[in-house]
Amino acid sequence: GPAAQVVQSVTVVSITPANPAISIGVGNAHACGIDSAQTAWCWGWNLVGELGNGSTVDSSTPVQVSGISGISQVSAGNPFACALRTDGTVWCWGDNVTGELGNGSTVDSSTPVQVNGLSGVSQVSAGYYSTCALRTDGAVWCWGLNQYGQLGNGSTVDSSTPVQVSGISGVSQVSAGDPFACALRTDGTV
């Protein structure tokens, strides 16, 4: 058969000239970052509002996410993104076909919506149509697509609001994947 061709390129992106980037998150076809002023910026595909700027127009340069500030972490999933605010709340935007925005609906949003009933969050991870959040008490909560049980609640029913992961505590890190999630416990087990 034909030989595979690998194309490599590097594009340097400055989030804002005034405030350097301090953190980034990469999704399927878009990326997001936080600048030193704790503002979120995204770039890339924007088919369902995953850039969070109130439009569905793709952008090769960073656009500011509308309506939220005080961001401590951003995570880009497929095809949506979520941000953790310094007050411990989580806000998501983009595709919502399986409830991955966590606001109790399945309607897409091109601007951030707050995840229902979730506070005291220390980390958020957006995956493939699902999201998980780690609370400061070491508990993990997930929402969105649950076709293979990736929400960890003993079910395979999607959830548009956070459900607590069953049978796990003492978690120090969580990561949502495609289509699964993993947690690192404080005792070093995964």
Side-chain angles (χ1 to χ4, degrees):
Q5 181 180 5
V6 177
V7 178
Q8 295 180 352
S9 66
V10 175
T11 302
V12 176
V13 175
S14 175
I15 292 182
T16 65
N19 300 309
I22 60 170
S23 177
I24 61 168
V26 177
N28 183 47
H30 71 292
C32 297
I34 305 168
D35 67 17
S36 60
Q38 297 180 316
T39 303
W41 300 79
C42 296
W43 59 97
W45 282 3
N46 198 25
L47 182 64
V48 288
E50 53 264 59
L51 300 187
N53 65 338
S55 83
T56 54
V57 176
D58 298 347
S59 180
S60 61
T61 58
V63 293
Q64 187 172 348
V65 176
S66 302
I68 56 172
S69 59
I71 307 300
S72 61
Q73 187 211 343
V74 66
S75 182
N78 181 17
F80 68 104
C82 294
L84 172 61
R85 293 189 59 198
T86 54
D87 66 3
T89 60
V90 176
W91 296 71
C92 300
W93 57 92
D95 186 90
N96 199 26
V97 69
T98 61
E100 60 268 33
L101 302 186
N103 65 337
S105 98
T106 54
V107 176
D108 300 343
S109 180
S110 63
T111 58
V113 294
Q114 186 172 359
V115 174
N116 286 354
L118 195 60
S119 60
V121 174
S122 61
Q123 186 206 346
V124 65
S125 180
Y128 180 78
Y129 294 94
S130 64
T131 310
C132 292
L134 173 62
R135 290 179 29 135
T136 55
D137 63 5
V140 176
W141 294 73
C142 299
W143 57 95
L145 181 66
N146 199 25
Q147 182 178 6
Y148 301 104
Q150 58 265 50
L151 302 186
N153 64 340
S155 166
T156 55
V157 175
D158 300 345
S159 181
S160 63
T161 57
V163 294
Q164 188 168 5
V165 175
S166 307
I168 190 168
S169 61
V171 174
S172 62
Q173 184 180 355
V174 66
S175 185
D178 174 9
F180 63 97
C182 292
L184 173 64
R185 294 179 41 166
T186 54
D187 65 5
T189 58
V190 178

